[in-house]
Amino acid sequence: MPARLSPLRTVIASAALAAVTLSSCSLAGKEEAAKSSPSSAGTTAVPGSTVVLVTHGDFALPAELLKKFETDSGLKLEVRKIDDGLPNQLALTADHPLGDAAFGVDNGAAPLALAEGVFADYQAELPAGASDFLLKGSDDKDRLTPVDHGAVCVNIDKTWFDKKKVEPPATLEDLTLPAYKNLTVLPGATGSTTGLLFLLATMDQYGDDWQDYWTRLVGNGADITKSWSDAYYGGFSGGEGDRPIVVSYDTSPAFTINKAGETTTAALLDTCIQQVEYAGVLENAKNPAGARELVDFLVSPEVQAALPDNMYMFPVATGTPLPEAWATHAHEPSRVYSFDADDLEEHRTEWLTEWRGIITR
């Protein structure tokens, strides 16, 4: 079984909140302070004040790097993790936010967050290359700062195909062929942005015929799970399952290295859609000045360099060094499927209702 990758960012799930405090402030003190008005925000943060980052359960920057932020900024940092449903929780608490800044809302969930007024009007000064990852098709893209990126792609278990002497698939269309019947497992579009982004990739490929594609995919025995973790670790033969085709990430093969130094999996680079994770200052934040410093920190060279080994995503800053295994095994697609953010927000409910109807027939 490969080293465990960072699981998906769930979209529609019950939210479990866990707080990781990097300072000695008491929770009671923070709750009392939270009663004060956020309207007195200055342009600089008050030294010694606490800034709260709300993020997903997979946030994993090194402790020494977070401590460096505290030392350099003079602020106390609290990382508050939402184990499931980060975008929904941010939307539900927009008037009384759970923190000051947020990280981990991706391009599949960002349109919903922007429509609900989650983020304030701030964007960090972007490093070289980062502007390529601004939210496409959104008038409010300047409220979000791109921090990392990857691609959702079909992955295969090379070992399985080699042993069975079966030619592996290469395209989305291949997954509907009889040769691959009952071999595919993927996360559902209503349970994760990994699954949602895969749905959007098929919509970009097939246009108005996407429903026909999904009818054929489901008819060919595709197994649809609640989450990425369920698909990759539970259903995929590269994990604990028996299906050699899975929807995962372009970086996944860098984490399935065998004793010979070779990866046992591959990402099909003609099946990919871009995923970008964003940071932003929360509207109605108690410490907006501190939040701005925190968002700036997330695109600093030190954080960008730490992303691949710690959060399994590519940095947005051009020229950031990558781990050796990534250079060899984590290949980025030259072309990716795409979607318009405002179009997604307008039609999200309609599309997901149609998709759910197809997979439950």
Side-chain angles (χ1 to χ4, degrees), residues 149-153 155 248-254 267 269 272 312-314 329-333:
H149 74 98
V152 170
C153 313
N155 277 227
S248 192
Y249 303 98
D250 57 350
T251 57
S252 299
L269 298 183
C272 304
Y312 317 106
M313 297 287 277
F314 286 99
H329 302 296
H331 302 295
E332 294 186 77

Side-chain angles (χ1 to χ4, degrees), residues 153-190:
C153 313
V154 176
N155 277 227
I156 60 166
D157 178 358
K158 296 196 301 181
T159 302
W160 189 97
F161 283 98
D162 287 344
K163 286 182 178 179
K164 299 290 185 180
K165 293 182 170 54
V166 174
E167 184 71 19
T171 67
L172 294 176
E173 185 64 25
D174 286 348
L175 303 186
T176 69
L177 298 178
Y180 307 112
K181 188 174 181 64
N182 298 326
L183 299 186
T184 301
V185 59
L186 62 149
T190 56

Side-chain angles (χ1 to χ4, degrees), residues 254-288:
F255 298 92
T256 58
I257 309 300
N258 61 21
K259 293 180 180 179
E262 298 295 326
T263 183
T264 61
T265 64
L268 306 184
L269 298 183
D270 288 333
T271 67
C272 304
I273 186 168
Q274 188 176 75
Q275 181 181 45
V276 183
E277 288 191 309
Y278 298 96
V281 175
L282 294 174
E283 194 70 80
N284 302 309
K286 176 187 169 185
N287 190 354

Side-chain angles (χ1 to χ4, degrees), residues 133-149:
F133 303 100
L134 293 172
L135 187 64
K136 293 177 174 62
S138 173
D139 293 336
D140 292 325
K141 60 180 177 293
D142 292 343
R143 293 175 180 262
L144 296 170
T145 297
V147 174
D148 61 36
H149 74 98

